[in-house]
Amino acid sequence: MQVTAQSKFIGLGVAGNFAGHLEQAGEAADFVAVQVQDKVAPKALFPFYVPGHTGQLGVFPLSEQAIFLPEAAVTGDEKVQIEPEVALWCELEYAQEQVVAIHPRAFGAYNDCSIRRPNANKISEKKNWGPESKGLAAQLLPLGGFAAGCELDDYRIACYLERDGELHGYGVDSAALDYSYFHGQLLDWAIDKFNHQQDEGPAEHIQGLLAQAGHPSYALISIGATRYTAFGESHFLQPGDTSCVLIYPGSRYSERDIREAIRTRQFGPDMSVLLQAVKTR
């Protein structure tokens, strides 16, 4: 299946669901005052696409082919990084205006491409700067359920940057099971945020955004970025680069297999692949 602007969904991300990522991204200080259930709990649910929104969040940002850098990134005033993640395509169940259940139906490779803006007031200010500022694989893989033993449990997240003909590890190759919150624990947390998260600090009022979007039947939820390699932590996107995010079954492929698949552009049908050319307008 493919997700388009006609799919009638809200786009949301989970902040702080992978140990160490916020610190590497320089964002840990943003969440000092955020109250969490336990020390490994995610910090907040943030919007990246809200159909019907009159501001920047109303712009459809997803592309399976390209990332267009913001103008300030070209001059060097802003820095942009890949954020490799698993995205879940979910059906939402409501009781009146409350979300009472989230049913993941498919998953795939996602790039929560982000501007590093230390002084941003909201997480979303770093996320959607226009068309083709985010990435979602053209092919999402079906998900029969989201409990222990589901299809996603066997999958890993790989991220590379292709620059000047060389492939560099950008994100630490990680198992989906390495997420801090996963399965039912993640869904229960997200339902609580849908219904109770307020407009406080870096977070936003999700229930109000759902209302703006007309209480859509679906949500694309990116469930958290992995840690960076030393290269990824210190290198930022430039025109001419290719961002590579792959979700692949670890029982069937090695990291060496994944590097070769990127080199040859030959990918298995059991992979979700997102290769984006980095460009300027």
Side-chain angles (χ1 to χ4, degrees):
M1 65 163 292
Q2 285 186 292
V3 176
T4 69
Q6 287 70 49
S7 300
K8 305 298 183 186
F9 72 99
I10 190 169
L12 301 163
V14 178
N17 196 27
F18 217 103
H21 173 79
L22 290 178
E23 289 77 9
Q24 287 185 314
E27 297 177 340
D30 296 346
F31 298 95
V32 169
V34 174
Q35 299 294 317
V36 294
Q37 298 173 8
D38 60 72
K39 64 181 181 179
V40 300
K43 307 303 183 185
L45 199 60
F46 64 85
F48 65 82
Y49 174 59
V50 182
H53 195 283
T54 56
Q56 194 63 46
L57 287 173
V59 177
F60 183 76
L62 298 176
S63 172
E64 74 274 10
Q65 297 180 332
I67 287 287
F68 280 86
L69 295 175
E71 185 176 343
V74 179
T75 62
D77 294 333
E78 291 185 329
K79 295 177 170 61
V80 176
Q81 285 179 296
I82 308 167
E83 291 205 1
E85 310 194 18
V86 170
L88 299 177
W89 177 251
C90 301
E91 188 172 356
L92 301 180
E93 184 178 336
Y94 297 90
Q96 297 181 345
E97 296 186 354
Q98 296 266 309
V99 174
V100 294
I102 302 171
H103 304 287
R105 303 301 190 195
F107 67 96
Y110 181 77
N111 177 9
D112 186 32
C113 203
S114 299
I115 305 171
R116 298 306 174 208
R117 287 175 173 162
N119 299 318
N121 293 317
K122 299 294 183 184
I123 305 169
S124 61
E125 294 175 16
K126 310 173 188 181
K127 301 296 183 180
N128 179 345
W129 58 87
E132 298 178 284
S133 57
K134 292 247 157 306
L136 180 68
Q139 178 178 345
L140 301 186
L141 303 173
L143 191 57
F146 192 46
C150 71
E151 298 94 331
L152 185 51
D153 289 8
D154 185 37
Y155 276 73
R156 300 185 66 85
I157 308 156
C159 180
Y160 294 88
L161 180 70
E162 196 173 62
R163 175 174 289 173
D164 298 327
E166 292 189 29
L167 198 61
H168 305 273
Y170 200 87
V172 176
D173 190 288
S174 305
L177 287 171
D178 289 339
Y179 276 114
S180 298
Y181 274 30
F182 203 57
H183 298 142
Q185 185 182 36
L186 177 60
L187 298 182
D188 289 344
W189 175 89
I191 290 170
D192 177 70
K193 297 302 174 186
F194 268 113
N195 297 323
H196 302 298
Q197 181 172 292
Q198 299 301 308
D199 187 358
E200 297 174 343
E204 292 172 66
H205 184 223
I206 302 300
Q207 196 172 64
L209 295 174
L210 282 172
Q212 285 186 41
H215 295 98
S217 299
Y218 294 93
L220 183 70
I221 304 176
S222 62
I223 64 174
T226 62
R227 291 184 298 276
Y228 292 115
T229 63
F231 180 92
E233 192 172 4
S234 58
H235 288 76
F236 305 95
L237 294 182
Q238 301 173 0
D241 290 344
T242 300
S243 164
C244 311
V245 181
L246 291 85
I247 309 297
Y248 70 95
S251 65
R252 295 173 223 169
Y253 303 98
S254 66
E255 288 188 54
R256 182 175 179 178
D257 294 331
I258 297 304
R259 294 180 71 97
E260 180 65 12
I262 295 171
R263 188 187 69 79
T264 61
R265 301 299 200 260
Q266 298 291 320
F267 304 104
D270 50 359
M271 300 179 187
S272 181
V273 180
L274 176 61
L275 302 185
Q276 292 175 283
V278 181
K279 301 181 178 182
T280 58
R281 299 213 182 267

